[in-house]
Amino acid sequence: MTATPGIVALSEKLAQFHDHWNPRIVAHYNGNEVRLAKVQGDFTWHAHAETDELFLVVSGELGIEFRDGVRRLTPGELIVVPKGTEHRPFAEGECHILIMDREGEPNTGVNPSELTRESLETI
């Protein structure tokens, strides 16, 4: 018999941390991770060679720079960055985002940097 799944309250999870560009895992599904992050300022240019990456804005505004332009997202909007596509997220003010990535996928994809997290905390 399967247990009844729990509910993930995004606001409660987001209240548990304050640092930027350090995603936390809040759920798993089909070999993927649902991650939450608080972001502000510029991230690094990067790409994910073998997996798409989904960004959903919970609060604030998120920009994602691509080699051919910029997309700006507001709360309730999402974008799927296709695998292999170079991108650079940024936020002028604090922004809260939900990210869906393949389990174990580095947050900087194939481009290690000072913002790469070796392992992500599950909350």
Side-chain angles (χ1 to χ4, degrees), residues 42-47 64-70 85-89 108-113 115:
D42 295 335
F43 199 58
T44 185
W45 278 100
H46 70 286
I64 302 182
E65 187 174 4
F66 295 93
R67 294 297 182 185
D68 64 350
V70 174
T85 303
E86 284 189 296
H87 58 290
R88 184 186 66 83
T108 55
V110 297
N111 307 86
S113 77
L115 295 173

Side-chain angles (χ1 to χ4, degrees), residues 48-84:
H48 300 270
E50 298 179 13
T51 184
D52 300 337
E53 185 174 31
L54 181 147
F55 294 89
L56 168 69
V57 175
V58 176
S59 67
E61 294 185 14
L62 178 70
I64 302 182
E65 187 174 4
F66 295 93
R67 294 297 182 185
D68 64 350
V70 174
R71 300 287 185 270
R72 295 185 181 272
L73 295 92
T74 58
E77 294 181 327
L78 68 82
I79 190 168
V80 176
V81 178
K83 67 182 176 182

Side-chain angles (χ1 to χ4, degrees), residues 1 4 26 28 30 38 55-56 77 81 99 104-105 120 122-123:
M1 187 167 177
T4 302
V26 297
H28 295 267
N30 295 332
K38 293 181 179 180
F55 294 89
L56 168 69
E77 294 181 327
V81 178
I99 308 158
E105 179 72 14
L120 300 181
T122 298
I123 59 172

Side-chain angles (χ1 to χ4, degrees), residues 92-104:
E92 293 165 8
E94 186 171 85
C95 178
H96 300 171
I97 59 176
L98 182 145
I99 308 158
M100 294 187 190
D101 259 327
R102 180 176 61 180
E103 190 171 290

Side-chain angles (χ1 to χ4, degrees), residues 26-37:
V26 297
H28 295 267
Y29 75 100
N30 295 332
N32 295 290
E33 296 170 345
V34 179
R35 304 171 178 180
L36 287 178

